[in-house]
Amino acid sequence: GGFTDALALKTLHHTNPMVRYWTIRLLGDSRKVSPAIQTALLKLARTEPVAEVRSQLASSLKRLPGADALPIIRELLLRAEDAGDKHIPLLLWWALESKCASDRESVLKMFQDHALWQTPIVSRFIVSHLGRRYAAERGDLNLETCARLLGLAPTARDVDELVKGMEEGLQGDPVK
């Protein structure tokens, strides 16, 4: 019971990256954060120099509510240096995918920003996964979401990536 917000705010700025790593892990385990912690995590997403800490942040975001997690996910998606990492792009997809149904409108709103589509992680990994995820579940709402994403896609390449993902999602029969 001694892990308070005050302590977490202090340890999120610790010089040892493993202290920051475990602070994020413990915060994620609680499955909710205060506005002050959310703001600190958002800042960390923009400035954290250590890939392992960013990786833990991406992993922990799946556990947080969409309103807290999506702004942080967005900031991590903007980090071009993680596009070549073996794990971070997929961890970010995992976090984003966990919000695709529960926070559908917020996810779509995030993709109204054309600059986000052009970031390396989004263009290489996320766009096709989004198309596949929504198309695979079929249903009117999911297919409508695919259509909305196609309308938001700023370039022909983005449309192609979405369609590629949608085609993968439509392969075979849906599991019932």
Side-chain angles (χ1 to χ4, degrees), residues 69-86:
L70 285 169
I72 300 167
I73 291 169
R74 182 188 181 284
E75 290 302 320
L76 289 171
L77 289 171
L78 296 172
R79 303 282 302 250
E81 70 264 40
D82 291 329
D85 188 271
K86 287 175 31 176

Side-chain angles (χ1 to χ4, degrees), residues 21-42:
Y21 176 101
W22 278 100
T23 299
I24 294 165
R25 171 69 190 267
L26 292 171
L27 288 168
D29 287 350
S30 72
R31 299 192 181 271
K32 61 181 176 156
V33 293
S34 68
I37 295 293
Q38 197 269 351
T39 299
L41 292 174
L42 189 60

Side-chain angles (χ1 to χ4, degrees), residues 144-162:
E144 177 187 312
T145 302
C146 287
R148 290 174 66 189
L149 282 167
L150 287 168
L152 292 172
T155 69
R157 183 196 180 283
D158 297 318
V159 169
D160 289 346
E161 284 298 307
L162 270 170

